[in-house]
Amino acid sequence: MKVSWNWLCELLDLPAGISPQAVAERLSVSGVAVDAIHPIGKGLSGAIVVEVRGKRPHPKADKLTLVDVFDGKEVTQVVCGAPNVPSPGEPLSSPRLVWARPGATLPSGMTLSVREVRGVPSPGMLCAEDELGLSEDHGGILILAPEDGIAIGADFAQAAGLPDFVFELDITPNRPDLLGHIGVAREIAALFRHEGVRLKPTSTDPRTVLGWFADPVHCRDCDSPEHFEKAPRIVVEDPEGCPRYFAHRLTGVRVHKSPLFYRLRLQRLGVRALSNVVDATNLALLQFGHPLHAFDLGKLAGQQLMIRRAKAGEKLKTLDGQDRELLPEDLLIADVEQGVAVAGVMGGQTSEVGETTTDVLLECAYFSPARVRRTSKRLKLHTEASHRFERGTDPSALPEVADACAELIVKLSGGRLAAPPTDVYRHKIPTQKLTLRPERTTAILGLAIPTATQKDCLEALGLGVTFDGQLLHVEVPTRRPDLSREIDLIEEVARIYGLAHLPMTLPRLAMAEPPPPTKGMTIYRNADRARLLCASLGLSEVLLFSMTSPERVRLGEGKQATRPHLLDNPLREELSVLRTRLLPGLVELLRQNLAHGQTDIRLFEVGEVFLPSSPGELLPTERTHVAAVLYGHRDHFLKPTASDALDFFDVKGLCEQLLDGLGLKLCLQPSSEAGPRAVFIRVATENEAPMLHPGAAAAVVAAQSGELLGVFGELHPDQQKSHDLPNPAFALELVVPALPIEKQPYVAPSRFPGASRDLSFFVDDKVEAARLMDTLWHAGEPLLRGVSLLEDYRQPGHVPTGQKGLLFSLTYRSDERTLTDEEVHKAHQRVISHLGAKFSLQLRQ
Amino acid sequence: MNESDSRAGELARLFEESLSRYQAALAEATSESALRVVHARYAGKEGEIRKRLADALKAAPGPDKRAVGQAGNTALQKAEELFGSRLVDLHEQKRQADLQRRLDVTIPGRPHRLGGLHLLTQVRLELEGIFAELGFQVATGPQVETDFHNFEALAMPKDHPARDMQDTFYLRSHDPSHDPLVLRTHTSPVQIRTMLQQKPPVRIISPGKVYRKDDDPTHSPMFQQIEGLCVDEGVTMADLKGTLLYFVQRFFGPGIGLRLRPSFFPFTEPSAEVDIECFFCKRSGCRTCKGSGYIEILGCGMVDPEVFRHVGYDSEKYSGFAFGTGLERMTMLRYGISDLRLFFAGDARFTEQFR
């Protein structure tokens, strides 16, 4: 919210020497953040208001005009380049301009002199708004009307209320009382109470300056017959939505532009000046923080207002020209025929105050914050009024605010009050009465503040405080809906006393048992372990959004019909669903990084995916995955050669390292006896790995449960093409296990040497290496300690058709002695015959 | 000259002749293996010298055998010496040759590619470490939350204007009778979940992804927060201030001061924003601190009794503080990164800068 320094000064007794900057600084450290201070018209002096007495074209330049201006004493000719120089009218009723005379200074720092413009001397210049520091507008010179009430020859800066400073305040939602100048002034008075700053008493009581109200008559009972005729007729049908409705009736109003001073004041605070009546309501709003609305009484059917729930589907054209369709939860202001305003949000067009308006019904009401907020949210119509009503305005202030506004309307429009006001206020909203234990303040803050000081802090804010020797009894005015509990008072004490006084301590560390490990924390730790493993394996981590596009989800899921979770209000289509896999995002990054000129790319991500909820669960199933993409070459010297190109076994090796590092045991076959950490690798189906090449895709499967834990392999050629990848890419995605990584007991290395024997044979090329290795391991040979595959060769001509040649190295060892050649030989033969019994082998050598 | 002497002379010549050919052959051999072949051929078990010795022994009459044997052994000993010295020569030659190798050591090495953690992960781990020093344990929770955990239990009922402070993504619901689901707007729901499960003392930090409907160079629809919560008997706002000072000085550097500015969060009271002294300009005013000398880094406060009510803690017995900050903001400040979106763009050139 913007506030004007000059306006604040009108409301405060402010000793000299307290600068706007000092005030802003103090506000900022006390809970009212001042985001910026804008000087307005700073440095402007010597500019005066003059009347146009004549104009003619410049003899040598089409776009220049010679203007005769009258400053009350004499006429001077000034050269002007603006396109909008007005023609003179009758003396003393001609348009008026702002003339910066020689010697005048402008906010830009320029000092004016007599200057020759294309051969014609020009003393000073006629000013546009930007030159006066009023706005950025340089469309033409500023033109004033005689009605602006500024005398010819008057100093412009003084008449326009310049210089001024506009503060941009960031008001937190709990402080509706600060949404007007009075509230801010009250806050400043509290913060500077020791420097003698006080709120002026008159600023809160307009009746002292408005004679009509010498004996104010408030109609508490609108059904009373003697007042019924003249007072505004108000029927509140929905007192829950509108606990109080206060209205003035004005007559004899003449609607026209407001004087310059007020127009500029509104403009400075970001409000468009419209007409004197509407401007008066806006000025009252800015002063008190309480919204008002002026209806053209002549346009209200039946000349009365009803505050009721809207009928379902009831329509209203609001002031912004939009047709609004309403629901019964919306609070409506209506005349006898139709709705004329959405209560607390925006007025309707039909009863808008315009040039023909002579009689005004001035509304100053208190509406239910929640009701206004719901309507404003649903209509997506956030206004200065709704902003304040939904935060909670002050129900007690209505007469004061309405009176001040009426006074201003009278002053600006020449009208008068036609009747006593109407005040419908059936159930008075009471002030809060709270108690504060002074020692509780100490307990919360960790700082002992004397009771008298606490009392002083609260009183500075205008709260009524008494001390009974034990408790502080605090009466909270209705303008502070945020103060309803003891803790709220403690906050106010802390705020006004100053958080800078808080000492710094560390909390006592009490004895507590370590919390039991949770599944969530196990996954969190394993996820960090997966990150470290990937990084140590040469991959770089990336982080991508959890939101993605439906298309990308389809890419990752293939034909599988996993229904992703959709956002109800996405920012855009590409971020409208929650991802179900990590790979689609990573593969897209390959494309982007190639486009950036990268060649060999290794990226990984560890993050959550969002799967359909488990039965009976409200929340989606969140699973943490680790995924990686590899592209290009292995580490190579200078220029990569063909044999440096990555292949399937690079990603498989990566996968094996990850599984091992995450505490999973790689075995070769499914097995119901395997532990929960045993996994094996098999060919993946197309459904399991839709993004991968069907001939080079593997699945990681839990050996015990058969659950799919991940896939890896070569990127599908179609994906390679659609992602503009010239060469094959390799990818991996695994579920981060939820099992804690087991601590392995230490096994001392054997003191006795092992002996290796080769085993080479041809076998049907459909027989998977894993089956052979599994059979070797399960030969029951106690001395067999190692099986490694050394060769897999398939060159035609060297290998019988349909077969492949395999070379294994088998290691034998005993933990008790060094084996003899013969023992090794016998063991090797036992293993070979076991394998030979299961597979048709053609042994070699 | 007797027969015996002439035979001895003959034998000596034979050995001499063998040795001389042997020596020549050794000289021709240029590798250790070739050397050993030559050695075997002359001085081995089946070698020429032994063969000649055996023949001579066979032919020699009894009394001469001893002399023949002595001559043979002398020849064999000589052969071993020749072999040994030649082997040493050969090794020395090889060594000398090897020492002549000259590499261009300035050619770039064969790379061993380093991987790396994302800068935000590095900073998160560092922060977790700093708070671990103060006894804070990590706690986690789901990213899709119920309206209750994200708002209601944090004293933000529906229709509360404070909800405007956090633009929220909602999940499309299949069943409107359920509590609406949201992408959590802060990690505070983790505090709620923890307090619902655990009695005080509670001392946790909750790092994690959060979501707000915002997208510009300084706002991302997804970012990461790290929030802290400390609840026990007698926890004060002074404890909060001290904890934050410890954190600030550990993370941003020693000697950096902080100030608390009162503010508003629905779930804390009193609430404050925390500014640290600008470490770029040492409070003399610069672009980062917008001339104020202070940089805003986090929000904090004493846990609101309303929150305690929701989780069943007695707010007369227990008090606590909470604080929360953006991981990205901390990181941007420390590394001088100006565009938040870089963190999530997956550009290897960005990622690989921070090993």
Side-chain angles (χ1 to χ4, degrees):
Chain A
M1 191 191 60
K2 292 178 172 173
V3 295
S4 149
W5 170 252
N6 288 350
W7 196 335
L8 293 173
C9 291
E10 288 168 21
L11 302 172
L12 288 165
D13 282 323
L14 203 63
I18 294 180
S19 68
Q21 287 74 20
V23 168
E25 175 69 24
R26 186 85 56 97
L27 282 171
S28 280
V29 298
S30 311
V32 188
V34 180
D35 289 343
I37 306 179
H38 305 290
I40 306 287
K42 192 182 168 195
L44 177 66
S45 81
I48 58 166
V49 175
V50 292
E51 191 176 56
V52 181
R53 282 289 169 88
K55 72 165 187 175
R56 59 202 156 277
H58 190 289
K60 288 183 191 157
D62 291 347
K63 293 197 174 153
L64 297 178
T65 313
L66 306 181
V67 190
D68 295 333
V69 298
F70 176 63
D71 66 1
K73 291 183 201 128
E74 55 187 0
V75 174
T76 313
Q77 176 185 283
V78 186
V79 181
C80 182
N84 65 332
V85 176
S87 302
E90 293 298 309
L92 300 181
S93 57
S94 288
R96 293 170 192 185
L97 306 175
V98 181
W99 176 35
R101 292 174 297 183
T105 58
L106 297 181
S108 65
M110 177 200 261
T111 302
L112 291 144
S113 57
V114 181
R115 205 160 57 95
E116 225 171 71
V117 185
R118 304 292 297 272
V120 180
S122 178
M125 67 190 266
L126 300 171
C127 299
E129 286 197 14
D130 64 337
E131 287 149 348
L132 296 166
L134 298 175
S135 74
E136 307 288 303
D137 186 10
H138 194 69
I141 48 175
L142 178 63
I143 302 169
L144 310 176
E147 297 79 51
D148 282 317
I150 305 179
I152 294 167
D155 179 74
F156 175 76
Q158 201 178 6
L162 297 175
D164 194 359
F165 295 91
V166 170
F167 289 17
E168 275 187 42
L169 303 181
D170 184 5
I171 307 292
T172 52
N174 60 326
R175 293 298 301 275
D177 64 303
L178 294 178
L179 293 170
H181 282 74
I182 284 268
V184 178
R186 190 179 285 119
E187 194 77 5
I188 293 169
L191 296 174
F192 286 84
R193 66 196 182 285
H194 299 310
E195 283 101 319
V197 177
R198 298 284 179 275
L199 205 59
K200 282 182 188 161
T202 49
S203 58
T204 52
D205 190 2
R207 272 166 285 189
T208 59
V209 289
L210 191 62
W212 203 91
F213 284 102
D215 182 19
V217 182
H218 286 178
C219 178
R220 300 279 172 212
D221 180 2
C222 63
D223 295 330
S224 156
E226 61 258 43
H227 292 125
F228 192 77
E229 289 305 313
K230 284 184 281 176
R233 273 173 286 168
I234 307 295
V235 182
V236 177
E237 279 189 359
D238 182 358
E240 183 262 325
C242 176
R244 187 175 193 182
Y245 199 100
F246 188 97
H248 269 305
R249 180 176 171 170
L250 295 107
T251 188
V253 166
R254 276 184 52 239
V255 176
H256 50 73
K257 263 196 338 189
S258 298
L260 179 79
F261 176 84
Y262 294 108
R263 295 209 312 274
L264 289 179
R265 174 165 275 189
L266 286 171
Q267 177 192 313
R268 216 172 293 160
L269 299 176
V271 180
R272 201 152 56 96
L274 295 167
S275 68
N276 49 3
V277 174
V278 176
D279 292 350
T281 62
N282 283 329
L283 287 161
L285 166 90
L286 292 172
Q287 165 117 333
F288 297 99
H290 195 108
L292 298 102
H293 187 71
F295 295 97
D296 183 336
L297 193 61
K299 293 177 190 162
L300 293 178
Q303 302 221 333
Q304 76 165 41
L305 289 180
M306 201 180 291
I307 295 88
R308 59 167 168 88
R309 285 174 177 272
K311 294 170 199 135
E314 193 166 359
K315 287 200 177 64
L316 170 66
K317 194 186 274 278
T318 42
L319 282 171
D320 55 4
Q322 301 284 310
D323 283 311
R324 308 282 175 180
E325 192 170 319
L326 304 174
L327 297 175
E329 67 173 36
D330 299 323
L331 190 64
L332 186 71
I333 315 286
D335 63 14
V336 296
E337 286 173 2
Q338 59 180 340
V340 294
V342 182
V345 181
M346 192 178 267
Q349 272 192 338
T350 52
S351 56
E352 187 177 0
V353 168
E355 281 176 17
T356 58
T357 301
T358 57
D359 286 62
V360 167
L361 191 151
L362 181 64
E363 163 196 295
C364 185
Y366 175 76
F367 299 117
S368 148
R371 291 281 294 279
V372 171
R373 180 170 167 85
R374 257 173 270 165
T375 297
S376 154
K377 279 269 147 188
R378 204 192 74 249
L379 296 177
K380 295 190 170 63
L381 189 57
H382 182 258
T383 60
E384 293 285 336
S386 71
H387 186 80
R388 288 169 172 83
F389 280 124
E390 69 183 33
R391 281 160 174 72
T393 53
D394 180 6
S396 310
L398 304 193
E400 167 197 319
V401 175
D403 291 353
C405 183
E407 178 201 11
L408 194 56
I409 293 177
V410 167
K411 183 172 158 189
L412 300 182
S413 76
R416 60 185 173 81
L417 282 166
T422 300
D423 186 5
V424 186
Y425 193 19
R426 293 208 184 98
H427 304 289
K428 189 164 183 269
I429 296 169
T431 55
Q432 292 259 7
K433 293 192 171 59
L434 306 176
T435 55
L436 169 62
R437 294 164 288 171
E439 70 279 7
R440 183 71 183 161
T441 308
T442 306
I444 293 290
L445 299 182
L447 166 67
I449 304 175
T451 306
T453 310
Q454 296 192 33
K455 184 166 180 277
D456 168 62
C457 289
L458 297 173
E459 281 172 339
L461 293 164
L463 313 185
V465 190
T466 54
F467 183 54
D468 66 4
Q470 209 168 15
L471 295 174
L472 289 164
H473 297 270
V474 182
E475 184 167 6
V476 181
T478 48
R479 64 170 180 268
R480 292 298 302 270
D482 57 318
L483 306 182
S484 60
R485 304 166 301 168
E486 185 183 43
I487 191 73
D488 300 324
L489 299 175
I490 293 173
E491 176 170 64
E492 291 308 277
V493 170
R495 213 166 59 73
I496 300 303
Y497 186 67
L499 292 179
H501 295 105
L502 272 188
M504 287 186 268
T505 52
L506 284 178
R508 184 180 64 100
L509 199 53
M511 176 57 206
E513 283 177 24
T518 61
K519 187 178 162 196
M521 274 316 296
T522 302
I523 293 174
Y524 187 81
R525 294 293 175 220
N526 286 351
D528 272 346
R529 176 145 180 104
R531 288 185 178 95
L532 289 168
L533 286 166
C534 286
S536 61
L537 290 165
L539 280 71
S540 294
E541 188 182 15
V542 296
L543 273 173
L544 294 173
F545 288 161
S546 302
M547 304 82 87
T548 184
S549 68
E551 190 199 354
R552 198 120 359 120
V553 169
R554 267 197 299 280
L555 213 63
E557 293 294 332
K559 290 172 204 130
Q560 272 180 320
T562 299
R563 265 177 50 197
H565 295 277
L566 308 180
L567 294 188
D568 209 30
N569 55 339
L571 269 176
R572 47 183 181 271
E573 172 82 4
E574 306 93 86
L575 299 177
S576 62
V577 299
L578 297 183
R579 62 185 178 179
T580 58
R581 303 197 187 206
L582 304 181
L583 267 189
L586 282 178
V587 173
E588 175 59 30
L589 283 187
L590 283 182
R591 180 218 309 267
Q592 291 174 14
N593 278 292
L594 277 179
H596 291 148
Q598 303 279 308
T599 48
D600 299 327
I601 304 167
R602 300 175 204 177
L603 302 173
F604 79 95
E605 181 178 16
V606 176
E608 295 71 26
V609 298
F610 301 81
L611 305 174
S613 317
S614 313
E617 285 290 327
L618 182 58
L619 298 179
T621 303
E622 289 183 25
R623 230 165 48 177
T624 307
H625 283 192
V626 49
V629 286
L630 309 177
Y631 183 87
H633 300 91
R634 287 173 217 123
D635 292 340
H636 52 263
F637 185 56
L638 305 180
K639 188 175 121 186
T641 63
S643 65
D644 290 325
L646 290 169
D647 66 26
F648 173 86
F649 294 100
D650 288 289
V651 70
K652 177 161 184 187
L654 174 67
C655 182
E656 287 167 338
Q657 292 287 355
L658 265 178
L659 293 173
D660 186 48
L662 291 172
L664 299 176
K665 303 272 174 297
L666 197 58
C667 63
L668 298 161
Q669 296 282 315
S671 155
S672 54
E673 293 131 49
R677 290 180 173 80
V679 297
F680 71 97
I681 289 169
R682 59 156 168 79
V683 170
T685 65
E686 282 183 52
N687 266 348
E688 288 169 340
M691 294 192 79
L692 301 182
H693 189 302
V700 179
V701 182
Q704 193 182 48
S705 66
E707 190 194 345
L708 181 71
L709 300 179
V711 294
F712 63 88
E714 182 178 331
L715 194 66
H716 196 289
D718 297 347
Q719 301 288 350
Q720 186 190 325
K721 186 154 182 275
S722 64
H723 287 88
D724 308 319
L725 308 176
N727 296 306
F730 301 90
L732 155 91
E733 180 154 3
L734 291 175
V735 180
V736 171
L739 295 166
I741 294 167
E742 270 187 334
K743 304 282 178 290
Q744 295 297 321
Y746 171 71
V747 179
S750 175
R751 291 189 291 126
F752 302 100
S756 293
R757 293 290 182 274
D758 284 356
L759 169 57
S760 179
F761 54 83
F762 292 125
V763 70
D764 189 319
D765 65 7
K766 303 269 185 315
V767 176
E768 289 172 333
R771 286 182 60 204
L772 293 164
M773 287 191 274
D774 191 58
T775 308
L776 288 170
W777 275 119
H778 287 93
E781 176 48 59
L783 298 177
L784 181 64
R785 296 299 165 87
V787 175
S788 48
L789 178 62
L790 299 184
E791 282 181 6
D792 175 339
Y793 50 95
R794 303 172 183 231
Q795 291 96 325
H798 293 80
V799 177
T801 315
Q803 302 236 310
K804 60 182 172 183
L806 295 180
L807 170 61
F808 285 96
S809 173
L810 309 182
T811 304
Y812 299 91
R813 196 177 60 236
S814 158
D815 291 334
E816 278 111 42
R817 62 185 189 282
T818 304
L819 295 176
T820 62
D821 273 359
E822 190 171 343
E823 282 172 315
V824 172
H825 182 74
K826 279 186 179 160
H828 194 51
Q829 290 311 313
R830 285 194 293 270
V831 170
I832 293 173
S833 61
H834 178 81
L835 187 68
K838 304 265 162 131
F839 298 96
S840 161
L841 308 177
Q842 186 191 332
L843 292 174
R844 307 179 63 228
Q845 286 161 0
Chain B
M1 191 160 125
N2 62 31
E3 195 180 337
S4 159
D5 283 349
S6 78
R7 266 208 306 275
E10 176 68 11
L11 190 60
R13 263 199 314 283
L14 273 176
F15 282 142
E16 285 287 319
E17 189 261 345
S18 280
L19 283 173
S20 116
R21 275 190 288 111
Y22 170 59
Q23 197 169 2
L26 284 178
E28 269 169 43
T30 54
S31 72
E32 187 176 332
S33 58
L35 213 58
R36 289 194 185 281
V37 169
V38 171
H39 176 261
R41 196 177 332 127
Y42 288 90
K45 275 183 190 165
E46 313 278 316
E48 189 180 298
I49 297 175
R50 280 192 194 277
K51 215 164 161 232
R52 287 192 171 170
L53 175 60
D55 289 350
L57 278 176
K58 211 189 279 171
D64 287 354
K65 282 192 198 292
R66 184 183 161 82
V68 170
Q70 263 175 3
N73 279 341
T74 308
L76 283 170
Q77 208 175 334
K78 185 92 191 290
E80 286 308 316
E81 275 165 24
L82 288 170
F83 174 71
S85 109
R86 178 67 186 133
L87 194 61
V88 167
D89 285 354
L90 206 60
H91 280 166
E92 179 56 22
Q93 262 175 35
K94 217 171 145 192
R95 184 173 158 273
Q96 287 300 336
D98 185 52
L99 289 172
Q100 294 310 305
R101 275 189 301 121
R102 292 292 179 264
L103 283 184
D104 179 353
V105 298
T106 66
I107 290 174
R110 180 173 285 113
H112 294 261
R113 187 194 282 236
L114 273 179
L117 297 177
H118 194 284
L119 183 57
L120 292 175
T121 303
Q122 296 178 34
V123 172
R124 172 175 61 78
L125 290 172
E126 183 181 342
L127 291 175
E128 289 179 11
I130 292 172
F131 284 109
E133 291 166 16
L134 295 168
F136 285 79
Q137 284 154 346
V138 174
T140 61
Q143 294 176 25
V144 175
E145 269 292 4
T146 61
D147 190 90
F148 172 81
H149 286 96
N150 195 74
F151 290 122
E152 205 98 5
L154 289 156
M156 273 187 280
K158 295 188 176 69
D159 304 319
H160 196 292
R163 288 201 176 192
D164 286 352
M165 294 162 87
Q166 302 177 354
D167 253 334
T168 310
F169 287 115
Y170 287 88
L171 260 67
R172 185 159 299 168
S173 162
H174 305 293
D175 183 354
S177 69
H178 280 143
D179 200 17
L181 296 183
V182 302
L183 284 176
R184 66 179 178 190
T185 55
H186 42 197
T187 62
S188 313
V190 177
Q191 303 181 2
I192 299 298
R193 288 180 180 276
T194 304
M195 287 191 284
L196 283 171
Q197 271 167 15
Q198 194 184 324
K199 290 287 144 212
V202 169
R203 202 179 281 209
I204 55 163
I205 50 164
S206 49
K209 292 171 187 164
V210 300
Y211 304 84
R212 304 222 182 137
K213 214 181 152 187
D214 259 333
D215 200 5
D216 62 50
T218 55
H219 294 92
S220 167
M222 183 187 90
F223 59 102
Q224 297 186 72
Q225 271 193 339
I226 188 157
E227 290 193 340
L229 172 72
C230 173
V231 182
D232 200 355
E233 291 176 34
V235 173
T236 69
M237 200 160 182
D239 291 337
L240 166 62
K241 199 173 172 186
T243 300
L244 293 174
L245 184 74
Y246 184 91
F247 150 66
V248 162
Q249 299 201 340
R250 278 285 277 108
F251 187 74
F252 288 108
I256 292 175
L258 57 76
R259 70 173 182 189
L260 265 52
R261 271 186 297 110
S263 186
F264 168 75
F265 304 106
F267 33 88
T268 50
E269 183 128 0
S271 303
E273 299 272 8
V274 178
D275 297 339
I276 56 169
E277 292 167 1
C278 182
F279 47 85
F280 289 103
C281 64
K282 309 274 177 258
R283 289 190 63 193
S284 60
C286 68
R287 241 180 46 194
T288 305
C289 63
K290 295 182 197 126
S292 71
Y294 284 95
I295 306 172
E296 185 180 321
I297 58 157
L298 57 77
C300 65
M302 299 303 289
V303 179
D304 195 293
E306 178 69 6
V307 175
F308 283 155
R309 191 179 65 77
H310 276 287
V311 298
Y313 283 11
D314 177 359
S315 61
E316 281 296 309
K317 184 173 180 197
Y318 297 112
S319 56
F321 63 73
F323 57 86
T325 186
L327 206 50
E328 288 78 4
R329 175 146 179 83
M330 295 290 106
T331 308
M332 288 166 85
L333 278 174
R334 196 208 250 178
Y335 292 87
I337 296 165
S338 56
D339 190 344
L340 177 56
R341 291 174 291 200
L342 285 171
F343 289 124
F344 307 107
D347 186 336
R349 294 168 302 177
F350 175 79
T351 308
E352 287 169 9
Q353 266 188 46
F354 306 100
R355 290 291 180 213

